[in-house]
C-alpha cells in the first residue's frame, strides 16, 4: 500500500466517523517557541489550551512536520529523519478513551477491502500507564487483547504534557510485532525494534499546575472537558505495509536514493559510509522540497539557515559520492513526483520551488570553490602546528566571510582528523548576534519580556482595533510599560509604551510600517513613535511625552497623522501593484517572498534568479503606472481561507493565516492577495510608481525598490533637475545628453589607456637602472626600491621585471614598496637561483609588513602585501635586506 493511499484511507476513515478533515497546516506557524511544526497537534494547541473555541468537536489531519535537533544523526541510523507526516484524530470534549480506542482498532486491523490498513490483530500490542485501568479495560473490551499484550509503562513513556502548565494525561501506544528476525519476544518493554510503535493515543484529562520534567509534575485537578489527541507515524506505517526495512525505503523516499545511485555510480547497500550519504540526500531533498513549498527561503538565520543547511548537506553528500555536477535539478523533480500525490500544490508551485533550490545549489558551489581552498590552507597550518584543531576565529571567518556553515566546517575537519574550537566559534557568533540585537533594540525600543504584555492582555482583554474605519478615537490608557516593567506614569520627555482600550493606529505588520500620530489629554501631549502587536490581541504604542504627564487611567484623544496614513496606503497599495506588474512582465513564478513599505517608499522581495534588465525594469514600471491610470477599484473582503484559495488569492509565503482571511483586490483578478494592511480606494490615488533599484537578497531572490505618491514625483523632479544641470554644464540639449556623456566616457577611457602606456614605459625605463644598482648581501643580489605614487599592480610589475634582469646564475631578491593614497603596497620577488639557495618570498615579506603595519604573504617566488604606515616604506626594504642576510 503506497503512502498516498495510507494518507487517503486515514482521513476517509475518520471522516466517515464524523470528523472534520483539516488540511495540513504550513510547516511555519505563528508560535515563538517553534521553528517549525514538529507534531500533529501543534495547529490545534490554541483549542487544547482554551485560548480559542474549536469550530468542530472532532477533527482529523495528516500534518507535515519537521524536526531538526538531530540533523547530524540523519542517515547514520534508519530512524532519524527531518521531514515526516503525522496522522492524527482529535476530540474536543466529545468522545474519550473508549471512542479513541475503537476508532484506532477498527482502522489498524480493519480489512483492506473495507478501507482499513489490514494489520494482523494477533501482531498488535499496546502499552498503558499502570494506573490507567480504564484504558486497559477498553483494550480488552474493544480488541479482546489478552493481558500479556497490554503492557504497563511508566510516566516517562506513557504520560503526555507540553512541558509547561496546562493539559496533560496518560497515553496508550500501539505497537506492531515485526517478527522474531527483528529481535527477542516479550513485547515493547523488551525490544522496540521488533515491536515497532506506530500510534500514540493521548487522553487529556488533567490540568497540570507545574511541570518540572516529563515524569515530575503537579496535578491541579481534572480538565473541565476531556480531549483526545493522537499521532500515527505515516512513514512507519508505510514501511510496515510495504514490507520495507525502514523509512528510507518507502515509495516517497527511495526513488531519490535510486536516482542518486544512478548518477554517482555507487550502489545503495554496498558500503555503510555511502549508505549514510544516500539517506542524507533522500531525507534532505524531501525536507527542502517541503520547506520551500511552505515559503521558507535559504538564509543565515532561523528557518532559512536550517533549509540552507539541509540543501547544502544533500549537495555535498552527492559530491562525496563522486557526483560533481548540479545535483538538485536531478533529484528534486524525483521527490516532487512522489510527494505531489499527497500534496498537489507541490506540482503547481514547482517552478518557484525549483528556482529557489537550484539557485541555492549554485551559490553553494561557488562557496565550496572559495571556502574549500581557505579551509584546506587552515587545516594544513593546523596539522603543521602539531595541535590538530581549528580555532574558533578561523571557523567564524569561514562562516562570516565565505558562507561556510559551522556544520560543514565540522564535517570537513572530522574527515581530516581535526577538531574545531566550537566554543570559541559560538562565542564569536553570540557577540555578533548581541551587536545585531542591540542595534535592533536601539531602533525599536521594545520591551524584551513578553510576560508584561500577556499580563496586560489578561487584565484588560484585547485592544479594540479600529484602524480600518477611523483615524481618531476617544480612548483610555489601560497599561503603562517602561524598560523596568509596568509603571503608573510617564513624565515629560520620557519614552514608554502604553496600551489603550481602543486605538485607530495601525500596528506594524504584513510589511507595513506603523502609523504616526499623537495622543492628547487635558494638560498633555505625546507623539506616537511606533505601534506593535507583541502578543495576539494587544496593540502597544511606544510614545514620547512632549508635555505634561501620562498616567494609567488617563482619557486621551488618539489621532493618526492623516498625511502619514495616506502615504502608507499609497505605499501598501503600490506594493500590490508592483507585485502584479512583476508577474505580468516576468511570469507567474515571480512571487512575493517579503515586503516593507512606509509612506512614499516600498520594497518587494520575490523569487527570481537573475538581475532585471533595464528593459524589464521599464516594463514593470509601465505596467504599474498603467494600472494607476486605469483607476482600478481597490476592495477588501473577509472570507474563508478555502474560498480565498478558490478565487486565486495569493498568500505571502512564510505567513500563517487563520480560517478567515482578508482579501485585497485591485482591478479584480489582476491583483488579488491576502493582506491585513491599509489601502487606497482607487489605484489612481497611489499617484505614481517610480522603480529605483533591483538587487539580490540571496540565492533565488531579488529585491526591487520604488517610490510612490508625492515622493515619486519628487524623485522625478530631482532627476529632471539633474538632467538640466548636466545639460547646462555640457552645453548640450537634454535629448542629446546620452550621446554626449557616452562620447566623454569614451575619450576618458582612451586617455586613461594612454596614461597607462606612459606609466608602463616609465617603469620599463627604470628597470635596467634598478637591476644595475643591485647590492651584494651575503652572496645574493638584492634590489630595494621605494616609489611614491606606485600602485600595487605597478609595484608587482616593476619587481618582476627587475628580477628578470638580474643574473640568473646568482641568487637574487627584489623588494619594491609603492605608496599611494595613504597606503603602502609591498612586493618581494625571488629568482630561481635564490629559491634553490633557500630564500622564499613568502618568508622575506613578513618583516617588511611589520614595518608597514599590515599583512602579506605568497609563494616562494613572489609575495605581496599592503599596509597603512607609509612612513615605514624605507624601513620595509631595509628589513627585507636584513632578512636576506640572516637567511644566508
Amino acid at each position: 500500500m503506497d503512502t498516498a493511499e495510507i494518507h487517503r484511507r486515514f482521513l476517509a476513515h475518520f471522516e466517515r466517523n464524523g470528523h472534520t478533515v483539516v488540511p495540513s497546516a504550513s510547516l511555519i506557524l505563528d508560535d515563538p517557541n517553534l521553528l517549525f511544526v514538529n507534531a500533529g497537534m501543534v495547529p490545534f494547541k490554541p483549542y487544547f489550551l482554551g485560548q480559542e473555541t474549536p469550530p468542530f468537536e472532532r477533527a482529523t489531519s495528516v500534518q507535515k512536520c519537521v524536526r531538526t535537533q538531530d540533523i547530524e544523526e540523519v542517515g547514520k541510523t534508519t530512524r532519524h529523519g527531518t521531514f515526516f507526516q503525522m496522522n492524527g484524530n482529535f476530540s474536543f470534549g466529545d468522545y474519550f478513551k473508549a471512542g479513541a480506542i475503537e476508532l484506532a482498532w477498527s482502522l489498524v486491523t480493519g480489512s483492506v477491502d473495507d478501507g482499513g490498513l489490514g494489520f494482523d490483530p494477533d501482531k498488535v500490542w499496546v502499552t498503558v500507564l499502570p494506573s490507567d485501568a480504564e484504558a486497559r479495560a477498553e483494550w480488552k473490551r474493544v480488541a479482546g487483547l489478552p493481558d500479556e499484550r497490554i503492557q504497563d509503562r511508566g510516566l516517562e513513556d506513557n504520560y503526555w504534557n507540553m512541558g509547561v502548565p496546562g493539559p496533560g494525561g496518560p497515553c496508550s501506544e500501539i505497537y506492531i510485532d515485526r517478527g522474531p528476525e527483528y529481535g527477542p519476544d516479550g513485547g515493547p518493554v523488551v525490544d522496540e525494534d521488533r515491536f515497532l510503535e506506530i500510534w500514540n493515543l493521548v487522553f487529556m484529562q488533567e490540568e497540570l499546575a507545574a511541570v518540572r520534567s516529563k515524569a515530575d509534575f503537579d496535578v491541579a485537578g481534572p480538565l473541565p472537558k476531556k480531549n483526545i489527541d493522537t499521532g500515527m507515524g505515516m512513514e512507519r506505517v508505510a514501511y510496515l505495509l510495504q514490507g520495507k526495512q525502514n523509512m528510507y525505503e518507502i515509495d516517497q523516499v527511495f526513488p531519490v536514493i535510486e536516482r542518486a545511485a544512478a548518477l554517482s555510480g555507487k550502489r545503495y547497500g554496498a558500503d555503510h559510509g555511502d549508505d549514510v550519504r544516500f539517506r542524507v540526500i533522500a531525507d534532505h531533498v524531501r525536507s527542502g522540497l517541503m520547506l520551500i513549498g511552505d515559503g521558507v527561503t535559504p538564509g543565515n538565520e532561523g528557518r532559512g539557515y536550517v533549509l540552507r543547511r539541509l540543501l547544502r548537506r544533500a549537495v555535498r553528500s552527492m559530491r562525496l559520492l563522486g557526483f560533481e555536477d548540479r545535483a538538485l535539478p536531478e533529484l528534486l523533480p524525483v521527490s516532487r513526483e512522489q510527494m505531489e500525490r499527497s500534496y498537489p500544490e507541490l506540482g503547481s508551485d514547482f517552478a518557484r520551488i525549483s528556482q529557489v533550490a537550484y539557485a541555492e545549489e549554485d551559490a553553494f558551489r561557488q562557496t565550496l570553490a572559495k571556502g574549500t581552498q581557505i579551509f584546506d590552507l587552515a587545516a594544513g597550518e593546523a596539522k603543521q602546528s602539531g595541535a590538530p584543531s581549528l580555532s574558533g576565529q578561523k571557523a567564524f571567518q569561514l562562516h562570516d566571510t565565505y558562507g561556510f556553515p559551522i556544520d560543514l566546517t565540522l564535517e570537513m575537519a572530522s574527515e581530516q582528523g581535526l577538531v574545531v574550537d566550537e566554543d570559541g566559534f559560538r562565542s564569536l557568533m553570540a557577540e555578533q548576534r548581541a551587536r545585531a540585537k542591540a542595534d535592533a533594540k536601539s531602533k525599536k525600543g521594545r520591551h524584551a519580556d513578553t510576560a508584561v504584555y500577556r499580563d496586560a492582555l489578561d487584565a484588560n482583554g484585547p485592544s479594540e482595533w479600529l484602524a480600518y474605519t477611523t483615524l481618531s478615537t476617544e480612548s483610555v490608557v489601560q497599561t503603562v510599560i517602561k524598560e523596568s516593567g509596568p509603571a503608573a506614569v510617564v513624565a515629560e520627555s520620557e519614552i514608554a509604551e502604553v496600551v489603550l482600550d481602543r486605538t485607530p493606529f495601525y500596528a506594524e505588520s504584513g510589511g507595513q510600517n506603523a502609523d504616526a500620530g499623537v495622543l492628547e489629554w487635558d494638560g498633555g501631549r505625546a507623539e506616537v513613535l511606533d505601534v506593535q502587536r507583541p502578543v495576539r490581541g494587544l496593540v502597544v504604542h511606544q510614545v514620547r511625552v512632549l508635555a505634561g504627564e501620562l498616567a494609567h487611567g488617563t482619557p486621551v484623544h488618539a489621532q493618526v497623522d492623516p498625511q502619514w496614513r495616506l502615504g502608507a496606503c499609497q505605499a501598501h497599495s503600490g506594493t500590490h501593484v508592483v507585485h502584479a506588474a512583476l508577474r505580468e512582465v516576468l511570469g507567474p513564478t515571480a512571487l512575493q517572498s517579503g515586503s516593507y513599505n512606509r509612506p512614499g517608499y516600498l520594497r518587494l522581495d520575490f523569487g527570481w534568479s537573475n538581475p532585471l534588465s533595464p528593459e524589464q525594469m521599464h516594463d514593470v514600471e509601465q505596467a504599474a503606472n498603467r494600472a494607476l491610470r486605469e483607476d482600478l477599484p481597490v476592495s477588501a473582503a473577509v472570507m474563508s481561507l478555502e474560498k480565498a484559495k478558490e478565487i486565486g488569492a495569493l498568500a505571502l509565503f512564510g505567513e500563517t493565516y487563520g480560517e478567515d482571511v482578508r482579501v485585497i483586490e485591485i482591478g479584480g483578478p489582476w491583483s488579488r492577495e491576502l493582506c491585513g494592511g491599509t489601502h487606497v480606494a482607487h489605484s489612481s490615488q497611489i499617484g505614481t510608481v517610480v522603480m529605483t533599484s533591483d538587487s539580490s537578497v540571496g540565492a533565488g531572490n531579488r529585491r526591487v525598490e520604488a517610490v510612490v505618491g508625492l515622493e515619486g514625483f519628487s524623485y522625478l523632479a530631482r532627476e529632471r533637475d539633474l538632467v538640466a544641470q548636466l545639460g547646462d554644464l555640457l552645453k548640450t540639449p537634454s535629448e542629446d545628453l546620452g550621446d554626449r556623456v557616452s562620447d566623454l566616457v569614451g575619450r576618458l577611457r582612451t586617455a586613461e589607456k594612454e596614461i597607462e602606456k606612459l606609466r608602463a614605459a616609465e617603469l620599463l625605463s627604470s628597470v635596467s637602472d634598478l637591476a644595475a644598482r643591485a647590492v651584494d648581501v651575503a652572496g645574493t643580489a638584492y634590489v630595494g626600491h621605494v616609489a611614491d605614487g606606485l600602485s600595487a599592480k605597478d609595484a608587482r610589475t616593476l619587481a618582476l621585471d627587475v628580477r628578470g634582469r638580474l643574473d640568473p646564475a646568482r641568487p637574487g631578491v627584489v623588494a619594491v614598496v609603492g605608496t599611494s593614497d595613504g597606503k603602502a603596497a609591498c612586493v618581494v620577488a625571488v629568482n630561481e637561483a635564490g629559491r634553490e639557495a633557500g630564500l622564499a618570498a613568502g618568508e622575506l615579506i613578513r618583516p617588511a609588513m611589520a614595518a608597514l603595519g599590515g599583512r602579506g604573504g605568497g609563494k616562494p617566488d613572489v609575495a605581496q602585501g599592503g599596509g597603512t604606515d607609509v612612513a615605514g616604506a624605507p624601513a620595509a626594504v631595509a628589513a627585507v635586506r636584513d632578512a636576506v642576510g640572516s637567511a644566508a
Side-chain angles (χ1 to χ4, degrees), residues 360-696:
E360 177 62 21
E361 178 173 11
D362 291 342
F364 183 49
R365 287 166 65 85
Q366 295 177 4
T367 292
L368 278 176
K370 296 176 183 177
T372 300
Q373 295 177 356
I374 304 300
F375 173 85
D376 289 343
L377 181 63
E381 291 174 351
K383 290 178 179 178
Q384 289 177 3
S385 70
S389 65
L390 284 180
S391 68
Q393 177 66 45
K394 182 60 69 174
F396 180 76
Q397 180 191 9
L398 282 165
H399 168 84
D400 198 46
T401 305
Y402 300 99
F404 252 43
I406 182 60
D407 64 289
L408 179 58
T409 300
L410 291 169
E411 287 183 15
M412 294 176 67
S414 177
E415 290 164 4
Q416 297 204 26
L418 300 171
V419 296
V420 178
D421 177 13
E422 289 187 68
D423 290 340
F425 168 81
R426 300 194 189 286
S427 176
L428 290 169
M429 286 294 294
E431 290 177 13
Q432 186 184 64
R433 290 194 182 101
R435 287 193 296 270
K437 287 181 179 178
D439 181 58
K441 190 175 188 322
S442 69
K443 294 175 181 175
K444 277 291 178 191
R446 290 170 62 188
H447 203 281
D449 184 6
T450 60
V452 296
Y453 303 121
R454 296 191 182 279
D455 290 345
L457 183 63
D458 291 342
N460 301 297
S463 307
E464 185 180 356
W465 190 61
L466 303 171
Y468 292 150
T469 57
T470 184
L471 295 180
S472 65
T473 60
E474 301 304 319
S475 309
V476 175
V477 176
Q478 292 184 322
T479 307
V480 175
I481 302 170
K482 293 185 178 180
E483 187 68 27
S484 57
V489 66
V490 190
E492 187 171 321
S493 299
E494 279 191 317
I495 294 176
E497 293 176 326
V498 297
V499 179
L500 307 177
D501 61 338
R502 67 179 59 87
T503 178
F505 285 89
Y506 183 85
E508 180 180 355
S509 64
Q512 180 175 332
N513 210 2
D515 277 335
V518 295
L519 304 182
E520 296 177 313
W521 62 96
D522 187 15
R525 178 182 173 89
E527 63 175 324
V528 176
L529 305 174
D530 190 23
V531 189
Q532 298 288 331
R533 293 178 184 269
V535 295
R536 184 182 297 180
L538 195 73
V539 179
V540 177
H541 311 72
Q542 185 188 68
V543 302
R544 177 190 286 114
V545 176
L546 302 176
E549 289 185 340
L550 182 59
H552 178 272
T554 301
V556 299
H557 176 73
Q559 175 67 57
V560 176
D561 182 336
Q563 291 304 311
W564 180 279
R565 173 65 74 83
L566 173 61
C569 291
Q570 291 174 319
H572 204 148
S573 296
T575 305
H576 286 225
V577 166
V578 170
H579 186 201
L582 280 166
R583 299 181 75 243
E584 180 179 312
V585 172
L586 302 179
T589 62
L591 285 169
Q592 178 181 342
S593 57
S595 68
Y596 170 77
N597 54 78
R598 63 173 187 266
Y601 167 84
L602 68 89
R603 70 170 186 246
L604 187 145
D605 299 344
F606 62 102
W608 200 255
S609 297
N610 302 315
L612 301 190
S613 67
E615 292 76 17
Q616 288 173 321
M617 285 286 282
H618 176 268
D619 290 346
V620 171
E621 187 177 81
Q622 285 287 90
N625 283 296
R626 265 198 314 272
L628 271 57
R629 185 180 63 186
E630 292 169 6
D631 195 28
L632 301 175
V634 180
S635 63
V638 176
M639 62 187 71
S640 70
L641 181 58
E642 284 304 308
K643 176 63 176 177
K645 290 179 178 178
E646 286 177 15
I647 65 173
L650 298 176
L652 178 61
F653 289 106
E655 289 290 324
T656 56
Y657 300 95
E659 291 187 12
D660 289 330
V661 295
R662 185 167 178 259
V663 176
I664 299 296
E665 289 188 348
I666 302 178
W670 186 73
S671 172
R672 185 177 281 156
E673 299 187 32
L674 273 59
C675 178
T678 62
H679 291 269
V680 297
H682 291 267
S683 62
S684 62
Q685 294 171 339
I686 297 170
T688 188
V689 173
V690 181
M691 305 295 292
T692 58
S693 72
D694 160 54
S695 59
S696 171

Side-chain angles (χ1 to χ4, degrees), residues 200-342:
N200 186 20
L201 313 182
V202 176
F203 311 129
M204 293 187 199
Q205 61 187 46
E206 295 167 333
E207 180 77 29
L208 306 186
V211 179
R212 291 170 290 277
S213 72
K214 188 168 174 58
D216 183 14
F217 47 82
D218 297 333
V219 178
L223 283 173
K225 285 188 177 181
K226 297 178 180 180
N227 305 314
I228 290 294
D229 158 30
T230 84
M232 169 193 273
M234 175 78 82
E235 282 73 15
R236 289 191 177 188
V237 173
Y239 73 74
L240 289 176
L241 292 180
Q242 292 171 21
K244 304 299 182 181
Q245 299 295 310
N246 56 67
M247 61 174 284
Y248 291 100
E249 297 177 9
I250 66 173
D251 61 305
Q252 284 188 343
V253 181
F254 194 67
V256 175
I257 292 179
E258 291 181 310
R259 183 60 181 153
L263 292 170
S264 65
K266 302 290 181 70
R267 183 171 64 85
Y268 182 69
D271 176 83
H272 175 70
D274 286 346
D275 286 354
V276 169
R277 296 178 184 114
F278 280 124
R279 291 193 285 262
V280 166
I281 292 163
D283 175 85
H284 289 4
V285 166
R286 184 167 77 143
S287 297
L289 170 74
M290 304 306 293
L291 287 171
I292 299 172
D294 276 357
V296 184
T297 55
N300 290 327
E301 294 289 339
R303 299 177 179 116
Y305 178 71
V306 172
L307 172 60
R308 171 162 287 170
R309 186 177 178 190
L310 293 171
L311 293 177
R312 293 187 171 193
R313 277 172 58 90
V315 170
R316 186 163 184 272
S317 294
M318 284 297 294
R319 292 171 73 91
L320 292 174
L321 288 171
F323 186 75
E324 298 285 339
D325 293 335
R326 297 172 79 225
L328 293 181
E330 299 287 345
L331 302 173
L332 201 68
V334 177
S335 188
R336 177 208 64 198
E337 289 171 10
Q338 308 311 314
M339 298 302 297
E340 69 177 320
R341 285 187 58 196
S342 296

Side-chain angles (χ1 to χ4, degrees), residues 52-79:
E52 297 179 19
T53 301
F56 29 62
E57 291 184 330
R58 302 180 175 198
T60 184
S61 69
V62 176
Q63 176 61 46
K64 299 175 288 187
C65 303
V66 166
R67 291 181 184 168
T68 59
Q69 62 266 39
D70 294 326
I71 287 179
E72 293 85 356
E73 299 304 313
V74 170
K76 295 178 182 178
T77 74
T78 56
R79 287 198 171 205

Side-chain angles (χ1 to χ4, degrees), residues 105-153:
W105 180 256
S106 61
L107 177 61
V108 169
T109 62
S111 72
V112 172
D113 291 342
D114 292 334
L117 298 179
F119 283 103
D120 183 350
D122 293 334
K123 301 291 186 182
V124 178
W125 292 61
V126 300
T127 60
V128 296
L129 196 68
S131 60
D132 194 357
E134 181 184 358
R136 174 177 285 274
E138 288 300 331
W139 278 116
K140 296 175 74 171
R141 179 186 69 81
V142 171
L145 290 179
D147 283 330
E148 61 269 19
R149 281 166 48 202
I150 307 174
Q151 296 188 319
D152 288 339
R153 302 195 87 165

Side-chain angles (χ1 to χ4, degrees), residues 27-51:
L27 285 163
I28 309 166
L29 278 188
D30 185 17
D31 187 329
N33 300 311
L34 291 177
L35 200 61
F36 302 110
V37 170
N38 61 0
M41 63 79 63
V42 168
F44 300 97
K45 273 175 61 177
Y47 306 146
F48 289 128
L49 291 173
Q51 297 171 339

